Amino acid sequence: MLNTTNPIIKHKAGLLNLAEELGNVSKACKIMGISRDTFYRYQELVNQGGVEALINQSRRVPNLKNRVDPDIETQVVEYAIEQPAHGQIRASNELRKQGVFVSPSGVRSIWVRHDLENFKKRLKALEEKVAKEGLILT
């Protein structure tokens, strides 16, 4: 019998307990509305790491091969802060003139990762930079 007070894993432990109580995995899964594959995955996790292993772990792994180089990413972020009014297409074109080749959708992806996806957020980042470095805008 598995006991837990964690509300996140309580239903998972409840499924395992129900199957043990009924002595029938299929019936327990049908009652709880969970597939047998899921039941056996939960059971394997408990066998390997105890009840705490049932806590959801993020299976999402960043796909780094689709990312641009870190130095290009910093240049895109710096440009976004310097020119907050420029959109992703214009930013891409202006960066291309400086030798930084990144597509408009690549610019957008970088902005989203750095919380700069709209004009207000880029403008706020510029204000923070000005306040931090004591720059004067003209």
Side-chain angles (χ1 to χ4, degrees):
M1 189 101 196
L2 301 172
N3 294 323
T4 182
T5 56
N6 189 335
I8 296 171
I9 60 175
K10 206 168 206 171
H11 74 281
K12 295 176 182 180
L15 171 66
L16 296 172
N17 289 335
L18 181 63
E20 184 180 324
E21 189 176 306
L22 294 175
N24 188 339
V25 173
S26 295
K27 198 175 223 179
C29 289
K30 196 170 207 173
I31 290 170
M32 297 290 282
I34 296 176
S35 71
R36 286 187 16 221
D37 284 340
T38 303
F39 170 83
Y40 289 115
R41 195 175 27 170
Y42 291 168
Q43 190 176 45
E44 183 70 26
L45 284 171
V46 169
N47 291 341
Q48 289 177 354
V51 180
E52 291 76 29
L54 291 175
I55 294 176
N56 285 341
Q57 296 171 347
S58 177
R59 293 183 288 178
R60 186 174 180 196
V61 178
N63 191 354
L64 297 178
K65 64 183 175 188
N66 288 342
R67 295 262 175 108
V68 297
D69 291 333
D71 57 331
I72 292 176
E73 190 159 335
T74 55
Q75 288 177 325
V76 170
V77 170
E78 287 172 5
Y79 184 82
I81 293 172
E82 289 171 12
Q83 301 292 337
H86 291 184
Q88 62 195 39
I89 295 172
R90 183 162 182 194
S92 173
N93 290 338
E94 295 296 325
L95 286 166
R96 188 167 285 127
K97 290 176 186 175
Q98 297 173 13
V100 178
F101 295 97
V102 61
S103 68
S105 60
V107 169
R108 175 83 178 154
S109 297
I110 293 168
W111 286 354
V112 168
R113 275 198 298 274
H114 291 275
D115 199 32
L116 298 169
E117 62 266 15
N118 60 38
F119 174 68
K120 286 184 180 181
K121 290 181 178 180
R122 292 192 297 273
L123 193 59
K124 186 173 180 168
L126 175 63
E127 289 174 353
E128 290 172 0
K129 180 181 178 181
V130 167
K132 183 179 171 183
E133 297 178 6
L135 299 173
I136 298 174
L137 297 177
T138 58

